[in-house]
Amino acid sequence: MTTDVLIVGAGPTGLVLALWLRKFGVRLRIIDKTAEAGTTSRALAVQARTLELYRQLDLTDAVIAEGHRVPAVNLWVQGERKARLAFENIGAGMTPYPFLHIFPQDQHEQLLISRLEALGVRVERRTELIGFTEQNNSVSARLRGAEGEEQECVANYIAGCDGARSTLREMIGTGFPGGTYRQVFYVADVEAAGAAANGELHVDLDEADFLAVFPLAGSGRARLIGTVRDERADRADTLTFEDISDRAINHLQLKVAKVNWFSTYHVHHRVAQHFRKGRAFLLGDAAHIHSPAGGQGMNTGIGDAINLAWKLASVIGGRADDALLDSYESERIGFARRLVATTDRVFSFATADGRLADFMRIHVAPVLFPIAVSFEAVREFMFRTVSQTMLNYRRGPLSRGQAGIVHGGDRLPWVAIGDTDNFAPLSAMQWQVHVYGAARPELSAWCAVQKLPLHVFGWRSEYQAAGLARDALYLLRPDTYVALADSSGAPDALVRYFADHRIRPAPA
């Protein structure tokens, strides 16, 4: 059995990779050793950048319709709400989706699976990878099926989306350095009432166990994510919800009426030493894991998938050399390392033991946080960081030039004026050029010959305010990031870019 790409693991990362590849016309198989899709989940948040990218698969509206929009986050100390930060007040004008969106992973996976099946691809369940070898131009993978039978699958590339205990990662022999938090996490889906069951996100910063309350769709439904920090952590496998300290729950004035699901787990913070080895790639939790602080994990895995998908499709389709695939690791591994370091600092502050840590959380943070978020620059920085709209590849090998404040590697600034939304053309998964102002005649002619879409937006002051340069050209990659920013607006810059990177753009 032969295919272009063998995907190991059918969580959100593997499913998104499969969807993008199928949209590009790539042949694939996707396997998973579980008998069925997950019915419970820990990942909840779908960040603004993911919603922007989901427009390419016509997924955004469905995710928003089936989930819950979170308007604000609240910080509590000693039973009192000390600060409230409204997302809509800080994200407006930055993205079409200025909010935190809750869409549980199990529902998320079912949506992705249904869309993948509509494209003619089914997840092969109870099928696991037991080994692989690499030849010059292919990978030969040994698979074990539901009845114990073995088969061979020959693919051009293999992608490990198989989670923190990745089989593929072990097979390629890359290290997975990092550590494990001493605290035990618990997660519970509950039906509750009280001040912290109002559809917003609530976090308790206290000397009690750390607790965050995430609202779910439906009145009074919430997901509790907390820690166990004392001797109870030694018996994590036998803990029940009744064993959990209720101090934090009481501090948030939460009255739990029913527990629908409860589980405990340990959390690690690790990043693989390499995301690529030959024709094998690591994505999502197989490549990086960290604390749930900020709701970044699933979104980062989805970002991995989108970054890799268009590159694989370009190489398999003969529009780029294999060297393009090296940029996957160089662009994603740095972000993963920074993310793990950031979430580690945030989580360590929120859960640290000791009098000094308690003093900082109880007396210092509640005073400093409202002051800090009173500054617009601080609010914007926080939103851009959490929403992942700040993520860029400026130092990446595929990024070049600057025009206005926009650099190669940046996310294109979003500007909507009346019925004109400059993100609308980005729903097409292809290389394209944007000009804000007037395009030079030779640029229009060159793009027409090359069949490279050119989108010209009449100059407005709003584009200048967003940092775009008048009459400059911006080359957008198929994953919507700016590849090239050139203030001259001449096609020569495009010719050099594609020649230097040995890429042959073509309509999707």
Side-chain angles (χ1 to χ4, degrees):
M1 301 179 69
T2 62
T3 192
D4 290 325
V5 180
L6 173 63
I7 301 173
V8 184
T13 299
L15 292 167
V16 168
L17 178 62
L19 278 167
W20 247 265
L21 289 174
R22 280 304 301 148
K23 283 288 188 177
F24 281 122
V26 174
R27 298 178 305 151
L28 64 94
R29 292 179 67 183
I30 178 169
I31 65 171
D32 197 287
K33 62 184 179 181
T34 63
E36 60 182 6
T39 56
T40 59
S41 65
R42 297 176 188 134
L44 291 173
V46 182
Q47 302 293 355
R49 185 56 180 150
T50 300
L51 291 173
E52 290 176 357
L53 293 167
Y54 268 9
R55 293 171 75 165
Q56 292 187 305
L57 290 177
D58 194 26
L59 281 169
T60 304
D61 290 345
V63 170
I64 291 176
E66 297 180 26
H68 175 77
R69 182 181 304 194
V70 180
V73 59
N74 302 269
L75 296 185
W76 291 67
V77 174
Q78 294 184 318
E80 294 184 4
R81 180 162 35 192
K82 294 294 186 178
R84 181 180 185 272
L85 179 62
F87 292 119
E88 292 180 347
N89 292 343
I90 58 174
M94 300 183 200
T95 172
Y97 313 104
F99 48 83
L100 174 66
H101 194 68
I102 299 297
F103 189 46
Q105 183 178 328
D106 51 346
Q107 295 174 249
H108 199 153
E109 287 184 16
Q110 289 296 338
L111 175 63
L112 297 174
I113 289 169
S114 66
R115 294 297 180 90
L116 190 58
E117 289 178 347
L119 295 176
V121 177
R122 298 184 66 88
V123 176
E124 299 176 43
R125 295 284 175 188
R126 299 175 64 190
T127 303
E128 61 181 314
L129 175 71
I130 57 176
F132 81 96
T133 57
E134 182 174 333
Q135 290 81 40
N136 291 332
N137 298 309
S138 65
V139 169
S140 178
R142 288 186 295 116
L143 310 179
R144 179 182 293 126
E147 305 302 324
E149 74 282 7
E150 294 188 10
Q151 60 176 270
E152 180 187 32
C153 175
V154 177
N156 289 318
Y157 299 96
I158 184 170
C161 307
D162 48 343
R165 297 182 177 89
S166 170
T167 299
L168 185 62
R169 188 184 63 242
E170 294 298 319
M171 290 177 179
I172 66 175
T174 187
F176 201 35
T180 303
Y181 293 108
R182 67 183 185 279
Q183 297 91 349
V184 171
F185 278 79
Y186 71 86
V187 57
D189 277 358
V190 302
E191 297 175 19
N198 66 345
E200 299 182 354
L201 172 59
H202 298 264
V203 178
D204 182 52
L205 294 178
D206 222 324
E207 76 279 0
D209 295 337
F210 168 81
L211 175 64
V213 180
F214 292 85
L216 301 176
S219 178
R221 296 186 61 237
R223 168 76 54 83
L224 310 184
I225 298 179
T227 60
V228 178
R229 295 192 289 184
D230 53 27
E231 66 279 357
R232 293 165 298 160
D234 297 331
R235 51 188 181 90
D237 294 339
T238 61
L239 286 176
T240 66
F241 185 77
E242 287 69 28
D243 296 320
I244 300 303
S245 170
D246 61 1
R247 280 194 301 164
I249 294 174
N250 290 337
H251 284 176
L252 291 179
Q253 302 174 23
L254 194 68
K255 300 184 184 303
V256 177
K258 184 180 179 182
V259 179
N260 295 318
W261 175 57
F262 174 82
S263 181
T264 60
Y265 59 102
H266 283 279
V267 171
H268 309 266
H269 47 99
R270 303 177 184 274
V271 180
Q273 290 177 321
H274 296 287
F275 287 10
R276 180 190 188 188
K277 184 175 181 181
R279 292 180 169 268
F281 299 86
L282 300 177
L283 302 83
D285 287 354
H288 45 79
I289 51 176
H290 45 83
S291 89
Q296 301 295 299
M298 180 177 66
N299 294 272
T300 305
I302 290 170
D304 293 342
I306 296 169
N307 183 287
L308 181 60
W310 73 267
K311 297 171 182 178
L312 282 172
S314 297
V315 173
I316 292 169
R319 298 187 299 276
D321 294 344
D322 182 86
L324 174 65
L325 298 174
D326 289 334
S327 67
Y328 166 67
E329 176 176 309
S330 61
E331 290 186 338
R332 297 302 296 178
I333 199 168
F335 172 63
R337 288 169 176 162
R338 291 191 300 273
L339 177 63
V340 168
T342 300
T343 56
D344 179 63
R345 287 193 294 268
V346 172
F347 179 71
S348 296
F349 169 78
T351 62
D353 294 322
R355 291 183 178 179
L356 178 60
D358 288 342
F359 178 82
M360 293 295 293
R361 283 194 299 267
I362 296 171
H363 300 290
V364 178
V367 174
L368 291 184
F369 184 78
I371 295 174
V373 299
S374 67
F375 294 97
E376 183 178 0
V378 174
R379 295 195 304 272
E380 287 191 4
F381 176 81
M382 292 177 62
F383 180 81
R384 290 187 185 277
T385 300
V386 174
S387 67
Q388 298 196 354
T389 55
M390 185 182 286
L391 170 63
N392 67 76
Y393 303 128
R394 283 189 181 186
R395 298 181 181 179
L398 302 181
S399 303
R400 182 178 295 182
Q402 178 182 357
I405 66 170
V406 179
H407 294 247
D410 283 357
R411 164 188 171 269
L412 184 73
W414 173 67
V415 185
I417 305 171
D419 295 333
T420 302
D421 178 352
N422 70 326
F423 272 26
L426 301 182
S427 60
M429 301 162 67
Q430 59 191 148
W431 292 92
Q432 57 186 271
V433 175
H434 284 205
V435 173
Y436 297 84
R440 295 174 59 157
E442 59 268 34
L443 174 64
S444 299
W446 188 87
C447 288
V449 170
Q450 298 297 321
K451 298 182 179 179
L452 184 64
L454 171 63
H455 301 279
V456 180
F457 301 84
W459 184 249
R460 297 283 296 268
S461 60
E462 290 88 345
Y463 297 130
Q464 182 176 12
L468 296 160
R470 187 169 188 171
D471 302 339
L473 73 82
Y474 297 94
L475 174 65
L476 279 301
R477 308 177 349 174
D479 62 355
T480 79
Y481 284 90
V482 177
L484 166 69
D486 183 78
S487 58
S488 75
D492 296 354
L494 294 172
V495 174
R496 289 192 300 271
Y497 181 90
F498 288 122
D500 290 346
H501 293 290
R502 291 177 292 180
I503 295 172
R504 296 166 289 283

